[in-house]
């Protein structure tokens, strides 16, 4: 014999009832079946709403009862015809008439006791069981309706009754020791010793099925629902959640108690005591294997992961009882728990400090005010004499449980759990773990629940980890970066178990957002006009609202306004990669805010391309510093444009002609004066100076401009280029003069003794700077270790592809840290 329990979604329409009947018919070919049914989908909620509205004196309760009437008669009309329809309709109308009378009484009295509410809520199962049994009869399956009030005995706690197991077993065996056909039993409801209706709590139909199965010695209990079984996490919240084909009774109980809605928390106990397997099956997908719950995992099934699954409760309240007067005082905990138990307040989570100065409890928010009141009454004298502080309630919290038999004796699970939460900026408010090591429960802010579930699930279950990228800017660097990510994404997935998912792009006019990832092959078409959430602040708000785990913001702009939001991003624990120099080379207050935000958060901030595009200049500098080397000086050329101009000058040629060629080749900005001013070069040396710990501002960098004073303002670019020939003679003379001394000239910079300067300098022909070609950049580090032979970093220092490559490398460095 098997017990088949069908949930409300499995009975939500006439078509679904027919599908249920087909499942029962198929099962009857192999064994006898006892069927347990829930109320039709949404009916229990509607019943509860009608009763509460009636109690409040709202006449709208009548429209809800009319909706219930319409729903059941509509389904009956589609299932039946002729005499059977008349018979079923009469039964439904009779039940609904009783319901109307009861709810109208609530309306008149303006009173809704637990006893009355239980009676109202129980009508859903009574109506669905009558329809299912009648439909089975009409389709040649002997069946009969059976009210669980005749089978299950409970105490008088009407809303969440405690079952009298012994009395219930006697009644169940008496009614069902021998039976023909298919009993269709009302789930959820039971009866107190005096016969009044009680309920087993929301989802209690699972419990009904398990009680029946244990009492009758069923071979298996099948819970038919609308999901394929237990998942490693809620698939509605964690896209990568996987089905669990086998779990133990203990794991099922832990997951259910901690919020997994697949199974009623108490449903496992009767089955476990009787050693009856429980199967979770999908009535919408009968071919799915589902989840099998037994005392132990079959020996042929190998489990290598320590964690079996995650579950969460998204609305909990923490109560904290604390005070120095609790230390070493026997009986405090006993009084606390006895007081709550006496008032039937369920405790979800308990945590106590070893100092005994505080006990923290998580409870349902609906019971928070009541719990605080009764506990303050219980500990009135201790509070008055300041031995115990007034109770503190903390709201808007969620509890997450990490469950698994294999966690026991498996070192590093807690470390891995808290590390991944910390890297994603998720604060853990309270923690509890049993000595059996099978469940680590933690309380966090509710707005971080989805983020926490996803990052924990990824950490324990997925070999391939994800990082979520949001790009600001869609110019040359961004286009190159997107192309590089698109080209190498599959290789990263295959070789590095890393998936780089671009979830957002934005410029001043357009935006594209997709948490699952934008199609990088056609990303331009994904950009849509920004009708709201304008500017960088709007984009930042959208990123924060998504609250995705392992998020990296990538700045491919040259905007000071974008740089100003770096501190906000970091404090929101969003890592930042930037090619924009206006943050680290910005005003001192902004620079300091960025550094302060770095220290306060667990996010990473990388800006390698700010100085050398694709060259590892900042990383090299930090490696030298961190390894204890002393930096004596930094020299170099950090402008691809100016490097090209002076390299060409050394070959021979006129300065003005070379500048014009550089512009035509795209090496300069549209206005070459932007490059010839040396401002960009100065920002790079300002960043290096700050990296060395010098308290520099932009104005402290001595920068020689290559633009004559009279050509700097109020002159068109074409006019400027035409007049630039006036300085050709000076450069020709400078090169000739330097050559006589075995030297040449270069536009180079130097940092030494806390001072930074940039300008046209004489350098020996043996200098590495004199050997540059094209638009190469170079930095020369002279240190205590590299005094005789300085350390040289040399290579291409400009171009969209090179800079994008440096940005991509920074993204991968942060990804390596996060995952």
């Amino acid at each position: 014999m098997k017990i088949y329990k069908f949930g409300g979604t499995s009975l939500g329409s006439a078509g679904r009832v027919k599908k249920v009947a087909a499942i029962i018919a198929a099962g009857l070919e192999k064994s006898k079946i006892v069927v347990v049914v829930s109320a039709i989908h949404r009916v229990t909620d509607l019943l509860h709403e009608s009763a509460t509205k009636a109690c409040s004196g709202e006449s709208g309760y009548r429209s809800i009862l009319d909706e219930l009437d319409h729903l059941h008669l509509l389904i009956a009309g589609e299932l039946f015809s002729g005499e059977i329809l008349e018979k079923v309709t009469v039964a439904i109308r009779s039940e609904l008439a009783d319901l109307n009378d009861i709810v109208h009484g609530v309306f008149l009295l303006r009173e809704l006791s637990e006893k009355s509410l239980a009676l109202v809520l129980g009508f859903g199962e009574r109506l669905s069981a009558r329809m299912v049994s009648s439909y089975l009869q009409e389709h040649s399956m002997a069946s009969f309706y059976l009210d669980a009030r005749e089978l299950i005995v409970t105490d008088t706690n009407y809303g969440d009754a405690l079952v009298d197991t012994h009395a219930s077993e006697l009644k169940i065996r008496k009614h069902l020791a021998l039976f023909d056909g298919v009993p269709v039993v009302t789930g959820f409801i039971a009866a107190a010793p005096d016969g009044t209706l009680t309920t087993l709590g929301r989802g209690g139909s699972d419990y009904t099925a398990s009680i029946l199965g244990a009492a009758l010695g069923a071979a298996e209990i099948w819970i038919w629902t609308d999901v394929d079984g237990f998942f490693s996490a809620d698939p509605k919240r964690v896209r990568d959640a996987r089905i669990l084909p086998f779990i133990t009774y203990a794991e099922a109980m832990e997951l259910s108690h901690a919020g997994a809605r697949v199974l009623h928390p108490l449903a496992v106990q009767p089955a476990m005591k009787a050693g009856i397997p429980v199967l979770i099956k999908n009535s919408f997908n009968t071919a799915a294997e589902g989840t099998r719950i037994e005392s132990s995992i079959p020996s042929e099934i190998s489990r290598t992961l320590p964690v079996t699954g995650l579950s969460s409760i998204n609305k909990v309240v923490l109560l904290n009882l604390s005070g120095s007067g609790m230390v070493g005082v026997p009986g405090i905990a006993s009084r606390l728990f006895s007081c709550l138990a006496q008032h039937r307040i369920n405790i979800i989570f308990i945590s106590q400090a070893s100092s005994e100065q505080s006990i923290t409890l998580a409870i349902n928010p609906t019971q928070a005010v009541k719990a605080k009141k009764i506990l303050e009454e219980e500990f009135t004298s201790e509070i008055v004499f300041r031995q115990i502080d007034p109770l503190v309630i903390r709201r808007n919290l969620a509890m997450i449980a990490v469950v698994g038999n294999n966690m026991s004796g498996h070192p590093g699970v807690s470390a891995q759990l808290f590390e991944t939460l910390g890297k994603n900026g998720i604060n853990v408010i309270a923690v509890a773990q049993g000595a059996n090591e099978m469940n680590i429960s933690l309380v966090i802010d509710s707005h971080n629940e989805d983020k926490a579930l996803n990052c924990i699930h990824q950490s324990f279950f997925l070999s391939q980890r994800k990082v979520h990228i949001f790009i600001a800017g869609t110019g040359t660097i961004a286009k190159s970066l997107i192309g590089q990510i698109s080209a190498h994404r599959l290789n990263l997935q295959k070789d590095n178990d890393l998936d780089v998912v671009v979830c957002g792009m934005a410029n001043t006019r357009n935006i594209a957002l997709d948490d699952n990832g934008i199609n990088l092959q056609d990303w331009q078409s994904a950009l849509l006009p920004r009708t709201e959430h304008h500017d960088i602040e709007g984009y930042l708000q959208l990123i924060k609202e998504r609250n995705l785990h392992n998020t990296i913001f990538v700045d491919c702009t040259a905007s000071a306004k974008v740089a100003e939001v770096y501190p906000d991003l970091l404090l929101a624990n969003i890592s930042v990669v930037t090619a924009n120099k206006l943050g680290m080379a910005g005003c001192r207050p902004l620079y300091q805010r960025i550094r302060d935000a770095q220290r306060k958060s667990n996010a990473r901030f990388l800006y390698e391309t700010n100085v050398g595009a694709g060259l590892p200049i900042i990383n090299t500098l930090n490696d030298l510093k961190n390894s204890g080397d002393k930096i004596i000086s930094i020299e170099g050329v950090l402008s691809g444009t100016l490097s090209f101009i002076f390299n060409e000058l050394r070959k021979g040629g006129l300065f003005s002609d070379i500048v014009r060629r550089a512009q035509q080749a795209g090496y300069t900005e549209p206005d070459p004066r932007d490059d010839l001013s040396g401002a960009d070069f100065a920002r790079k040396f300002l960043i290096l100076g700050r990296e060395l710990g010098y308290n520099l501002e932009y104005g402290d960098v001595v920068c020689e401009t290559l633009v004559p004073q009279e050509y700097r303002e109020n002159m068109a670019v074409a006019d400027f280029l035409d007049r630039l020939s006036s300085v050709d003679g000076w450069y020709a003379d400078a090169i000739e003069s330097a050559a006589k001394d075995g030297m040449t000239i270069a536009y180079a910079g130097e940092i030494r003794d806390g001072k930074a300067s940039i300008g046209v300098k004489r350098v020996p022909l043996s200098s590495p700077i004199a050997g540059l070609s094209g638009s190469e950049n170079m930095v020369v580090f002279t240190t205590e270790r590299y005094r005789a032979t300085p350390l040289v970093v040399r290579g291409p220092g400009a171009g969209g592809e090179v800079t994008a490559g440096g940005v991509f490398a920074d993204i991968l460095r942060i990804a390596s840290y996060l995952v």
Side-chain angles (χ1 to χ4, degrees):
M1 180 177 58
K2 295 177 182 175
I3 311 295
Y4 277 15
K5 178 266 173 180
F6 293 95
T9 51
S10 301
L11 302 167
S13 66
R16 293 178 185 177
V17 172
K18 292 175 182 178
K19 178 68 173 176
V20 164
I23 292 171
I24 294 169
L28 285 171
E29 295 176 2
K30 300 176 182 178
S31 63
K32 298 182 73 173
I33 291 176
V34 174
V35 173
V36 176
V37 294
S38 297
I40 291 170
H41 179 54
R42 289 185 61 243
V43 165
T44 305
D45 289 335
L46 290 171
L47 288 166
H48 192 279
E49 186 180 356
S50 70
T52 52
K53 281 195 172 185
C55 183
S56 301
E58 298 179 43
S59 59
Y61 80 89
R62 295 189 182 91
S63 61
I64 298 173
L65 295 177
D66 291 341
E67 184 179 350
L68 289 166
D69 185 282
H70 174 75
L71 174 63
H72 288 91
L73 292 178
L74 176 65
I75 293 174
E78 294 178 14
L79 290 175
F80 308 105
S81 60
E83 291 183 7
I84 186 68
L85 175 57
E86 290 182 18
K87 181 180 177 182
V88 172
T89 300
V90 168
I92 291 173
R93 289 197 183 281
S94 175
E95 294 277 13
L96 290 171
D98 289 345
L99 172 63
N100 268 273
D101 290 342
I102 294 166
V103 178
H104 184 60
V106 171
F107 175 75
L108 293 174
L109 295 172
R110 303 291 197 273
E111 183 180 353
L112 182 63
S113 65
E114 278 196 355
K115 185 176 181 180
S116 299
L117 179 60
L119 184 58
V120 171
L121 297 181
F123 276 91
E125 280 70 19
R126 290 154 63 179
L127 289 163
S128 63
R130 288 192 186 279
M131 278 203 286
V132 172
S133 62
S134 297
Y135 188 77
L136 294 177
Q137 291 169 19
E138 189 181 27
H139 286 74
S140 305
M141 284 178 274
S143 178
F144 59 96
Y145 167 87
L146 188 52
D147 193 322
R149 287 177 290 181
E150 300 178 28
L151 305 176
I152 300 175
V153 183
T154 70
D155 64 6
T156 54
N157 184 45
Y158 297 96
D160 192 6
L162 181 66
V163 174
D164 183 333
T165 305
H166 179 67
S168 298
E169 285 180 352
L170 292 177
K171 283 200 166 195
I172 292 167
R173 288 169 185 162
K174 177 182 176 182
H175 281 79
L176 293 172
L178 295 171
F179 62 88
D180 294 320
V182 180
V184 180
V185 183
T186 56
F188 178 58
I189 63 175
D194 62 359
T196 53
L197 186 144
T198 61
T199 65
L200 303 180
R202 277 300 183 96
S205 296
D206 296 341
Y207 192 18
T208 304
S210 188
I211 293 168
L212 291 175
L216 297 173
E220 294 173 339
I221 300 167
W222 291 37
I223 307 295
W224 290 91
T225 181
D226 58 355
V227 293
D228 286 343
F230 267 98
F231 281 77
S232 52
D234 185 346
K236 295 177 182 177
R237 294 183 148 172
V238 179
R239 288 188 294 272
D240 300 313
R242 57 182 67 174
I243 193 72
L244 302 173
F246 294 93
I247 59 174
T248 65
Y249 291 127
E251 289 170 333
M253 288 177 65
E254 294 284 0
L255 289 169
S256 297
H257 274 288
R261 298 181 181 179
V262 182
L263 192 63
H264 189 282
L266 297 178
V268 178
Q269 295 176 0
M272 180 172 65
K273 289 179 181 178
I276 301 171
V278 178
L279 282 80
I280 309 298
K281 298 284 288 181
N282 190 345
S283 62
F284 298 89
N285 181 19
T286 56
E289 290 295 322
T291 298
R292 189 175 182 88
I293 306 169
E294 295 189 81
S295 58
S296 59
I297 304 300
S299 57
E300 65 271 17
I301 303 297
S302 175
R303 269 198 188 173
T304 57
L305 299 175
V307 175
T308 299
L310 316 176
S311 61
S312 65
I313 301 174
N314 60 6
K315 289 183 180 179
V316 300
V317 166
L318 279 188
L319 280 178
N320 190 56
L321 185 72
S322 62
S324 58
M326 294 170 58
V327 179
V329 179
I332 293 288
S334 173
R335 287 170 60 194
L336 170 66
F337 297 126
S338 297
C339 180
L340 294 175
Q342 182 181 350
H343 291 85
R344 299 196 66 85
I345 292 175
N346 183 43
I347 300 171
I348 303 169
F349 169 104
I350 303 169
S351 177
Q352 181 174 16
S354 59
S355 64
E356 301 182 50
Q357 287 197 66
S358 69
I359 301 175
T360 301
L361 312 171
I363 61 174
N364 190 296
T366 59
Q367 297 183 307
V369 174
K370 179 181 177 182
K372 184 175 186 294
K373 182 175 182 293
I374 62 175
L375 288 176
E376 286 180 342
E377 290 174 355
E378 173 67 27
F379 294 100
T380 298
S381 61
E382 288 87 350
I383 293 172
V384 169
F385 290 104
R386 298 185 179 180
Q387 296 170 330
I388 292 179
D389 302 326
L391 263 78
V392 176
I393 294 181
R394 186 162 180 176
R395 300 181 182 274
N396 301 316
L397 304 175
M399 188 190 80
I400 292 177
V402 181
V403 175
N405 276 338
N406 284 1
M407 286 165 55
S408 179
H410 194 291
V413 174
S414 294
Q416 185 174 342
L417 170 62
F418 293 113
E419 180 183 27
T420 191
L421 292 172
K423 286 178 177 178
N424 279 278
I426 299 169
N427 181 44
V428 177
I429 297 165
V431 183
Q433 180 177 13
N436 63 4
E437 300 182 62
M438 198 175 79
N439 182 334
I440 302 174
S441 294
L442 47 97
V443 177
I444 61 173
D445 286 322
S446 58
H447 76 273
N448 279 327
E449 182 183 1
D450 285 4
K451 184 178 182 181
L453 287 169
N454 276 277
C455 70
I456 296 170
H457 189 272
Q458 177 176 278
S459 178
F460 284 104
F461 290 94
L462 302 182
S463 58
Q464 188 178 102
R465 313 297 173 83
K466 288 183 181 179
V467 291
H468 300 96
I469 308 298
F470 290 86
I471 300 173
T474 55
T476 303
I477 295 173
K479 289 175 182 176
S480 298
L481 174 63
I482 293 165
Q484 291 176 18
I485 293 174
S486 178
H488 295 286
R489 187 177 177 190
L490 289 178
N491 289 336
L492 287 170
Q493 291 173 353
K494 179 181 176 182
D495 300 335
N496 296 61
D497 289 326
L498 176 67
D499 191 11
V500 178
V501 183
V502 178
C503 299
M505 304 175 190
N507 56 36
T508 54
R509 298 175 303 279
N510 302 310
I511 192 167
L513 295 166
D514 188 339
D515 292 356
N516 295 315
I518 296 166
N519 179 7
L520 299 185
Q521 302 298 319
D522 189 25
W523 60 270
Q524 290 93 338
S525 64
L527 288 167
L528 299 174
R530 296 176 72 166
T531 56
E532 54 183 356
H533 295 99
H534 297 289
D535 298 327
I536 185 60
E537 290 83 2
Y539 190 31
L540 176 57
Q541 180 185 343
L542 289 169
I543 295 171
K544 287 181 177 179
E545 286 174 357
R546 274 157 171 74
N547 204 24
L548 299 175
H549 66 291
N550 297 344
T551 295
I552 304 173
F553 177 84
V554 181
D555 183 5
C556 295
T557 74
S559 166
K561 198 168 185 181
V562 175
E564 288 172 3
V565 304
Y566 295 167
D568 291 337
L569 287 160
L570 294 168
L571 292 173
N573 282 285
I574 296 170
S575 295
V576 176
V577 171
T578 179
N580 180 356
K581 290 180 279 292
L582 299 181
M584 297 309 284
C587 63
R588 187 73 189 180
L590 174 60
Y591 174 82
Q592 196 59 54
R593 285 197 297 117
I594 294 171
R595 287 302 194 196
D596 290 343
Q598 271 187 283
R599 285 189 286 270
K600 291 176 182 177
S601 80
N602 291 322
R604 290 293 183 265
F605 180 73
L606 295 183
Y607 47 97
E608 182 66 75
T609 54
N610 279 195
V611 173
L615 297 180
I617 294 172
I618 293 176
N619 277 336
T620 301
L621 174 57
N622 286 329
D623 286 345
L624 292 170
K625 286 168 51 186
N626 294 336
S627 65
D629 203 353
K630 181 181 179 182
I631 311 296
I632 296 171
S633 69
I634 299 176
E635 301 168 276
V637 175
L638 286 175
S639 168
T641 302
L642 295 174
S643 178
F644 172 81
I645 290 171
F646 278 82
N647 292 338
E648 291 298 303
L649 269 175
R650 283 193 286 274
K651 296 178 184 178
L654 299 177
F655 182 79
S656 60
D657 289 344
I658 295 169
V659 171
R660 194 180 295 274
R661 279 167 32 212
Q663 185 203 37
Q664 292 168 351
Y667 288 143
T668 73
E669 295 294 328
D671 186 341
R673 285 172 290 188
D674 293 340
D675 298 286
L676 297 176
S677 70
D680 187 64
F681 198 149
R683 290 190 187 96
K684 294 176 180 179
F685 260 66
L686 172 61
I687 292 171
L688 289 177
R690 286 175 169 176
E691 288 294 312
L692 289 173
Y694 300 139
N695 188 17
L696 297 176
E697 288 284 7
Y698 179 77
D700 298 327
V701 180
V702 178
C703 180
E704 178 185 354
T705 178
L706 304 182
V707 182
Q709 179 68 39
E710 62 270 22
Y711 301 159
R712 292 178 191 176
E713 296 177 0
N714 303 319
M715 183 179 290
V717 173
D719 293 339
F720 164 70
L721 291 172
D722 289 340
R723 298 188 187 187
L724 192 59
S725 58
S726 63
V727 300
D728 288 345
W730 185 90
Y731 285 104
D733 292 344
I735 288 178
E736 183 180 350
S737 173
K740 292 178 182 179
D741 298 328
M743 304 182 81
T744 188
I745 64 171
Y747 191 82
E750 180 183 45
I751 301 175
R752 186 186 296 270
D753 300 328
K755 297 179 180 179
S757 62
I758 302 165
V760 179
K761 301 178 186 292
R762 281 189 167 202
V763 294
L765 292 175
S766 60
S767 167
I769 293 175
L772 290 174
S773 63
S775 61
E776 284 185 319
N777 278 4
M778 174 184 287
V779 170
V780 180
F781 294 98
T782 303
T783 73
E784 290 285 359
R785 295 174 191 159
Y786 294 93
R787 187 188 290 268
T789 305
L791 177 62
V792 176
V793 179
R794 172 180 174 176
E801 286 293 327
V802 171
T803 304
V807 170
F808 197 7
D810 276 350
I811 290 171
L812 296 180
R813 288 188 188 97
I814 292 179
S816 178
Y817 158 76
L818 289 172
V819 303

